[in-house]
Amino acid sequence: MSVLIIADLQDGHLKKSSNSVISYGSAIARQLGSEAYVLVLGTCSDDLSALGNFGASKVYQLDDASLAVIDPKVYTQVIADVVSSTGARVVVFGNNPTAKAVAPGLSAKLGAGLVAGACALPDTSNGFTIKKTVFSGKAFATVSILTEVKIITLQPNSVTIAPVGGIAQVEKLSVSVPATARKVAGVKKTEGEVPLTEADVVVSGGRGMKGPEHWGILLDLAKALKAGTACSRPVGDAHWRPHHEHVGQTGVQIAPNLYFALGISGAIQHLAGVNRSKVIVVINKDPEAPFFKAADYGIVGDLFEVVPRLTAAIEKLHAEK
Amino acid sequence: MKILVCISRTPDTTSRIAFTDNSTRFDETDVQWIINPYDEWYALVRAIEIKEKNPETVLHLVSAGGPELDAILRKALALGGDEAFRIDTDSKDSYTIAAHLAALCHQQQYQLIFTGKEAIDTNNGVLGGMLAELYPAEYVSLATQLELSSDGCTVTREIEGGEETLTCPLPAVISCQKGMAEQRIPNMRGIMGARTKPLHVVTPEAVSPLTSIVQYELPAPKAGVKLVSADQPEELIRLLHEEAKVL
């Protein structure tokens, strides 16, 4: 019996976001009195034994360059083989685009119950139940997984578990990788920006920014915070900012540790995309803006005066560190 | 070409979220129901565009649930589509519904199946991937563009930190998100026409669920916003650093 954690690679390196997923999977393994194994699919030049720091006792690597294309059919087949050879009873993914492509098919293939977007450790005292967000962050559901093998995708920034220290044993796997039926014509990376769904901090602007020519102060703040940048729907629709920055019910849903809303009133559709953020800061000159009700911190004032001073204060804080 | 669009019924975004029966059931009192926005704006409209371009396309719609779904299916038929199916089930388990959909796919032999990227009430986004495994078909998740080609389809989809454009053979299940199409509003001719389009009720074979919802809960209310004076924005940074510990 073991917990199998799927690590994510980007350009041949482990993604930092995998660390918290491994820590989470390892915590489940400790809870069940079993071992945590990590599965790395593809070519990776990092020291995989270092994943022991996050509680993994073993890292399996399938060093096959064709796995750079994430084909759900191929991935589900390969992961299903590893689940059966390692006797894994729980499979853990980060809830990211890879998991969204692969975990559902794996669930159907193995007949293993899946909880997508878990936000807490499971309760294993009586069966196996786990909490996830529903209604776009407006509620939680506790879901019982009824099958022997369980699959969980973990919502980013939802569970924090401290590293436990240790060195993992690394084992190369020789599993045959089926051929893919798809051809990748091109990949376009979001250049130089922090991808929104992975950002720890997000700075977002609304109509209160008054026009695209004023975005400089927002970008400066984002740069000081090493933050991703986002916008409200009206801003995206008016082409002040690119569409992929639109966060909200019908845009991107994010759950950063810190969300800055500059000149956004906080319509319910916008909140549905950001209310899973840990800390929300709202800056708006209208004290009646509904967003203040959902915020943790706020400043009622002119963002054109406030934001540059925030940027300066953050730079000062970094300089002191 | 035969296309299926999977749609679900969700509470309108502005609905009050509350639970009954000891928090085991969603409280439907005064809830305004809509077609799940991803299913309607992106999946259904893209399928309709394909049919408009290739009139010989057969476009079917499907939803899983009780008779309360009929109004939503009629609304979807008013936008476009030839026939609708309602799989008569009260199951909320994604795998069970995917298995029912796979049975319909086997019977009807669809080449292209559209879903929205997730339902805004369950926030699962797993139905399409499960269906693709069971049918079986290619699965393309989080798609933002799709064009048909002689040997299949060309799809752009979201991946970690960017976008990927790929070609794959049919049959394929496509989960759709923003970018795929633009929202439409049904016109009077569509609404009138939808009344007479076939709406079949399918009694599914029994399937064992893989999961069940035990309980719902509402998040603890926020402590309330802590306001910082606009004259001292530096204080906000201090609070975020020392109190909230997020900087």
Side-chain angles (χ1 to χ4, degrees):
Chain A
M1 191 167 103
S2 63
V3 174
L4 185 70
I5 303 140
I6 314 300
D8 288 300
L9 292 179
Q10 186 144 24
D11 307 322
H13 294 286
L14 285 162
K15 294 199 65 170
K16 203 176 127 257
S17 56
S18 286
N19 296 345
S20 58
V21 182
I22 296 168
S23 289
Y24 173 81
S26 305
I28 297 177
R30 287 193 293 278
Q31 207 173 313
L32 296 172
S34 69
E35 300 281 308
Y37 302 151
V38 174
L39 177 60
V40 176
L41 294 171
T43 302
C44 175
S45 54
D46 297 338
D47 172 19
L48 297 176
S49 67
L51 295 178
N53 189 34
F54 306 103
S57 61
K58 220 180 230 183
V59 179
Y60 292 102
Q61 188 193 7
L62 182 51
D63 190 350
D64 188 315
S66 71
L67 291 166
V69 174
I70 297 170
D71 176 339
K73 257 189 194 164
V74 173
Y75 266 59
T76 50
Q77 182 62 57
V78 168
I79 297 171
D81 286 348
V82 178
V83 167
S84 97
S85 68
T86 57
R89 284 295 164 267
V90 181
V91 183
V92 180
F93 294 82
N95 192 21
N96 54 36
T98 302
K100 286 173 187 184
V102 176
L106 186 68
S107 164
K109 185 184 267 307
L110 297 174
L114 163 64
V115 170
C119 60
L121 283 165
D123 179 351
T124 51
S125 59
N126 180 18
F128 193 104
T129 62
I130 194 158
K131 202 156 116 168
K132 64 160 288 182
T133 51
V134 289
F135 295 100
S136 306
K138 282 179 278 190
F140 298 104
T142 300
V143 183
S144 174
I145 304 183
L146 308 169
T147 54
E148 195 188 355
V149 179
K150 286 114 181 139
I151 306 176
I152 301 166
T153 75
L154 174 68
Q155 194 63 36
N157 298 329
S158 59
V159 182
T160 310
I161 292 159
V164 291
I167 306 274
Q169 186 194 336
V170 180
E171 194 179 315
K172 296 257 181 186
L173 286 177
S174 49
V175 173
S176 68
V177 178
T180 178
R182 56 181 68 185
K183 288 191 200 81
V184 172
V187 171
K188 202 170 82 191
K189 297 274 176 199
T190 320
E191 286 295 335
E193 298 169 35
V194 183
L196 262 185
T197 48
E198 297 165 32
D200 273 340
V201 182
V202 172
V203 180
S204 188
R207 266 181 299 195
M209 293 290 294
K210 293 191 176 148
E213 66 279 15
H214 296 127
W215 238 259
I217 55 165
L218 186 153
L219 298 176
D220 288 344
L221 177 62
K223 198 173 161 204
L225 289 162
K226 296 191 178 62
T229 54
C231 68
S232 66
R233 184 171 174 194
V235 166
D237 285 353
H239 304 292
W240 291 3
R241 295 297 295 171
H243 262 303
H244 66 79
E245 283 198 359
H246 160 205
V247 291
Q249 180 77 77
T250 52
V252 183
Q253 288 91 46
I254 56 172
N257 279 318
L258 177 57
Y259 182 72
F260 271 88
L262 312 181
I264 301 176
S265 65
I268 199 151
Q269 289 82 357
H270 183 78
L271 293 180
V274 304
N275 59 11
R276 278 161 276 196
S277 310
K278 208 167 267 171
V279 172
I280 295 178
V281 175
V282 170
I283 298 165
N284 204 304
K285 66 172 194 245
D286 175 11
E288 301 297 320
F291 217 152
F292 283 115
K293 288 200 178 72
D296 300 283
Y297 297 94
I299 294 180
V300 179
D302 181 355
L303 67 92
F304 294 99
E305 283 170 23
V306 168
V307 172
R309 286 178 65 181
L310 291 177
T311 307
I314 289 156
E315 283 165 351
K316 188 159 160 259
L317 182 70
H318 287 322
E320 284 165 5
K321 264 189 199 167
Chain B
M1 167 83 61
K2 215 166 168 182
I3 301 179
L4 179 69
V5 180
C6 308
I7 63 176
S8 66
R9 184 186 77 140
T10 57
D12 180 85
T13 313
T14 56
S15 298
R16 183 184 70 108
I17 304 299
F19 302 99
T20 69
D21 292 356
N22 213 6
S23 292
T24 57
R25 213 161 52 78
F26 177 58
D27 182 357
E28 301 191 356
T29 314
D30 297 330
V31 167
Q32 173 92 28
W33 295 97
I34 57 170
I35 305 174
N36 179 45
Y38 296 109
D39 305 347
E40 177 182 346
W41 301 4
Y42 308 127
L44 176 58
V45 175
R46 187 70 192 104
I48 292 168
E49 288 171 354
I50 291 171
K51 186 175 165 72
E52 284 168 350
K53 215 170 146 191
N54 313 286
E56 74 282 8
T57 305
V58 174
L59 179 53
H60 288 177
L61 317 178
V62 67
S63 195
E68 68 278 3
L69 293 187
D70 290 353
I72 289 296
L73 282 168
R74 290 278 175 217
K75 192 193 162 195
L77 285 169
L79 283 161
D82 303 305
E83 295 178 34
F85 294 82
R86 176 168 63 77
I87 296 169
D88 196 21
T89 172
D90 57 4
S91 178
K92 303 276 179 239
D93 175 53
S94 300
Y95 174 81
T96 303
I97 294 167
H100 296 334
L101 292 174
L104 181 69
C105 288
H106 288 146
Q107 187 196 51
Q108 296 285 338
Q109 293 294 310
Y110 299 110
Q111 286 135 303
L112 205 48
I113 297 138
F114 288 103
T115 70
K117 78 159 181 181
E118 66 176 48
I120 64 169
D121 52 359
T122 64
N123 302 134
N124 282 330
V126 301
L127 188 81
M130 290 178 169
L131 172 58
E133 175 65 32
L134 296 171
Y135 182 15
E138 293 288 323
Y139 180 50
V140 184
S141 51
L142 307 176
T144 55
Q145 283 175 54
L146 171 132
E147 294 300 334
L148 293 174
S149 56
S150 53
D151 55 351
C153 59
T154 301
V155 195
T156 301
R157 72 181 191 103
E158 181 190 331
I159 57 169
E160 287 288 300
E163 279 189 342
E164 173 188 87
T165 301
L166 61 95
T167 57
C168 75
L170 302 179
V173 178
I174 314 287
S175 97
C176 306
Q177 62 171 338
K178 194 177 172 98
M180 192 56 111
E182 295 290 334
Q183 184 182 10
R184 289 186 182 189
I185 292 163
N187 57 29
M188 193 43 81
R189 204 170 133 242
I191 294 166
M192 299 304 284
R195 289 183 186 175
T196 53
K197 287 179 182 174
L199 196 167
H200 312 278
V201 178
V202 181
T203 306
E205 304 264 336
V207 172
S208 297
L210 306 184
T211 61
S212 76
I213 293 172
V214 181
Q215 198 157 40
Y216 292 101
E217 64 189 281
L218 293 168
K222 285 247 179 190
V225 60
K226 194 176 243 182
L227 287 177
V228 175
S229 160
D231 299 329
Q232 285 179 317
E234 295 76 13
E235 172 66 4
L236 173 66
I237 301 305
R238 188 192 69 78
L239 287 168
L240 292 174
H241 178 56
E242 292 174 12
E243 187 180 84
K245 299 191 196 310
V246 286
L247 284 183

